[in-house]
């Protein structure tokens, strides 16, 4: 449901924006870009479960701005458990890429429960890689992150622009498949504007997301949620 051309490194911008900026940018994007075909009424709900080890490697690398880093998560959309994504996001020199494998709800639950041996013989390399991280690296599910996303796409440059808000944390809850798992809002209400593209960013999109003197940020929903547990 998210990015196309996932295995290629892509440019990424992130900005923390306020409510008035979100309204203005949304209006501009609606005039020049298309809403992602997978969105329902222009948006979808995302639930992710992030992994980390006992020393919080993924969290520390993000906070410290390590040049080459990666993180693992499971994710599903709009409460639909028929297709769950296992994802590894990698960053290098400010560029990002993502590897993905499909999990069944039963497989996802087994991972959450620590039932891992089946992963070694799975026919998906990413599942096997997570198995090694969990068996040898001490990686475990850490926390649920929920949010609402408004996605826009623009074919030239393979551009994807998203507005993410209503970010909530499950604290230390890892009951990923339980729709009734209690989550709480993360700090002050913020919206994250994220822009991703391949080789070039068309000027029509650059103008649509123009934010004056605001600087890009390394805001991480996972890091923000881990502040609570």
């Amino acid at each position: 449901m998210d990015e196309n051309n996932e295995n290629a490194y892509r440019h990424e911008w992130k900005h923390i924006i306020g409510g008035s900026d979100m309204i203005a940018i949304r209006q501009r994007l609606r005039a020049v870009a298309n809403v992602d075909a997978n969105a329902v009424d222009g948006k979808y709900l995302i639930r992710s479960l992030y992994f980390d080890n006992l020393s919080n490697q993924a969290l520390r690398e993000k906070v410290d701005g390590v040049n080459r880093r990666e993180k693992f998560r499971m994710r599903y959309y709009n409460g639909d458990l028929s297709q769950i994504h296992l994802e590894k996001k990698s960053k290098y020199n400010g560029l990002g890429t993502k590897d993905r494998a499909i999990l069944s709800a039963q497989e996802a639950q087994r991972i959450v429960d620590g039932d891992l041996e089946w992963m070694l013989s799975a026919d998906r390399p990413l599942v096997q890689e997570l198995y090694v991280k969990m068996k040898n690296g001490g990686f475990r599910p850490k926390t649920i992150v929920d949010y609402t996303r408004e996605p826009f796409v623009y074919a030239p440059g393979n551009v994807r622009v998203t507005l993410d808000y209503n970010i909530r944390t499950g604290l230390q809850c890892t009951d990923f498949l339980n729709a009734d798992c209690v989550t709480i809002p993360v700090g002050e209400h913020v919206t994250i504007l994220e822009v991703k593209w391949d080789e070039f960013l068309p000027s029509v999109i650059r103008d649509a997301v123009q934010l004056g003197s605001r600087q890009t940020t390394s805001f991480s929903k996972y890091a923000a949620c881990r502040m609570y547990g």
Side-chain angles (χ1 to χ4, degrees), residues 4-228:
N4 297 318
N5 197 20
E6 294 169 352
N7 292 322
Y9 276 93
R10 285 161 57 78
H11 299 269
E12 298 183 4
W13 278 353
K14 282 186 182 180
H15 297 270
I16 299 175
I17 62 175
S20 59
D21 284 333
M22 182 177 73
I23 292 171
I25 290 172
R26 178 195 287 140
Q27 291 176 335
R28 295 179 208 154
L29 288 170
R30 285 176 175 173
V32 299
N34 296 315
V35 175
D36 187 315
N38 293 300
V40 178
D41 294 328
K43 65 186 70 173
Y44 45 74
L45 305 179
I46 297 177
R47 167 162 286 189
S48 299
L49 176 64
Y50 284 84
F51 294 77
D52 214 333
N53 62 11
L54 291 175
S55 63
N56 294 311
Q57 176 182 340
L59 177 60
R60 290 180 180 277
E61 289 180 349
K62 175 62 179 179
V63 172
D64 294 341
V66 174
N67 186 49
R68 185 191 292 270
R69 61 185 186 270
E70 63 185 29
K71 59 187 175 186
F72 284 82
R73 69 190 180 202
M74 292 192 292
R75 169 172 288 188
Y76 60 90
Y77 300 84
N78 296 326
D80 181 6
L81 303 183
S82 66
Q83 190 175 80
I84 298 171
H85 302 269
L86 171 63
E87 299 176 344
K88 181 180 76 169
K89 286 199 69 178
S90 303
K91 292 293 288 289
Y92 179 61
N93 284 340
L95 301 177
T97 188
K98 183 166 66 178
D99 297 300
R100 173 183 287 176
I102 299 299
L103 298 172
S104 69
Q106 181 184 32
E107 289 172 334
Q109 188 64 56
R110 292 177 75 178
I111 293 173
V112 171
D113 293 339
D115 177 8
L116 309 179
E117 295 308 316
W118 65 274
M119 299 170 68
L120 186 59
S121 58
D123 58 355
R124 287 146 290 174
L126 192 59
V127 175
Q128 296 174 336
E129 184 177 351
L130 179 60
Y131 171 83
V132 173
K133 292 283 188 181
M134 297 183 75
K135 291 293 286 188
N136 300 336
F139 275 66
R140 293 292 182 270
K142 284 292 185 177
T143 192
I144 291 170
V145 178
D146 288 342
Y147 57 97
T148 301
R149 166 165 287 179
E150 295 186 26
F152 298 86
V153 294
Y154 189 78
N158 190 26
V159 178
R160 182 176 185 81
V161 183
T162 55
L163 298 166
D164 295 341
Y165 51 90
N166 292 340
I167 303 168
R168 303 177 66 87
T169 175
L171 300 175
Q172 295 181 341
C173 175
T174 59
D175 197 4
F176 179 58
L177 304 185
N178 180 3
D180 296 324
C181 177
V182 175
T183 60
I184 64 170
V186 173
E188 298 180 2
H189 175 75
V190 297
T191 297
I192 308 303
L193 166 67
E194 188 169 302
V195 186
K196 297 183 179 181
W197 70 97
D198 287 346
E199 297 299 324
F200 69 99
L201 181 62
S203 59
V204 65
I205 297 297
R206 189 184 298 271
D207 292 343
V209 300
Q210 181 64 41
L211 287 167
S213 61
R214 289 176 179 81
Q215 300 296 311
T216 57
T217 177
S218 60
F219 183 92
S220 163
K221 290 183 279 290
Y222 169 61
C225 289
R226 283 298 307 279
M227 291 178 61
Y228 294 79

